[in-house]
Amino acid sequence: MGNWIQPVYGTARRTEYDYAPLVLGVLCLFTLGLAVFIPRYYGLATESVGTPVADFTQVRELLDRFRRDAGRYPSTQEGLQVLVNPPSEVSNWRGPYTQEIPKDPWGHPYEYACPSPEQPNAFVLISYGADGKPGGEGDAADTFDHGS
């Protein structure tokens, strides 16, 4: 017949160790699934609300865009409303700068003041934390951003 080598079937023996990586992989996935889904199912997972620091950056950028157009930051009386609706005394308003007035991670409106009590040529943004009231600790702590 020629020089063909005939494969020999059924001579390789499978051992219980051949399946060990497969079994370990399935066990790892099962354990990971339990660790993720059981706390959510039973309500044990706590949702982490971000800090307002990242939001401050976004609001600061919106206020800076308003300042470039109007030549000044909004007054305390105008507030953050001027980011959505044009103030009557600003002729070169190029907004709206956002679709809605920004809120902190807990859904409370930011407190805005301009000029800032500490820096007369700047504004201050305040988030009163999870409870929405001045003072507090942890998630309820106040966070300040002094823009310039």
Side-chain angles (χ1 to χ4, degrees):
M1 266 223 50
N3 293 337
W4 294 93
I5 299 175
Q6 295 288 329
V8 180
Y9 295 104
T11 58
R13 291 184 44 195
R14 293 240 179 237
T15 65
E16 62 274 3
Y17 299 111
D18 291 340
Y19 296 107
L22 178 65
V23 171
L24 285 175
V26 169
L27 284 174
C28 287
L29 289 175
F30 181 73
T31 305
L32 180 65
L34 287 176
V36 170
F37 294 113
I38 286 187
R40 289 179 186 254
Y41 181 75
Y42 288 107
L44 302 174
T46 57
E47 300 251 345
S48 176
V49 176
T51 63
V53 174
D55 290 346
F56 284 155
T57 303
Q58 179 186 10
V59 175
R60 192 180 316 122
E61 289 172 3
L62 297 171
L63 290 166
D64 285 340
R65 287 178 49 204
F66 175 87
R67 187 192 60 168
R68 280 193 298 273
D69 293 344
R72 62 175 178 81
Y73 286 116
S75 67
T76 302
Q77 292 77 22
E78 293 169 329
L80 298 176
Q81 185 67 32
V82 298
L83 299 175
V84 179
N85 300 317
S88 57
E89 62 275 353
V90 176
S91 61
N92 48 347
W93 185 81
R94 293 188 181 98
Y97 301 97
T98 185
Q99 297 300 316
E100 58 185 28
I101 298 172
K103 295 187 177 191
D104 70 9
W106 298 277
H108 304 296
Y110 285 107
E111 194 76 27
Y112 171 81
C114 184
S116 167
E118 288 83 17
Q119 301 173 356
N121 296 326
F123 62 86
V124 63
L125 280 173
I126 306 168
S127 169
Y128 288 123
D131 63 355
K133 299 175 187 172
E137 296 178 7
D139 280 348
D142 301 344
T143 309
F144 298 86
D145 180 51
H146 296 278
S148 55

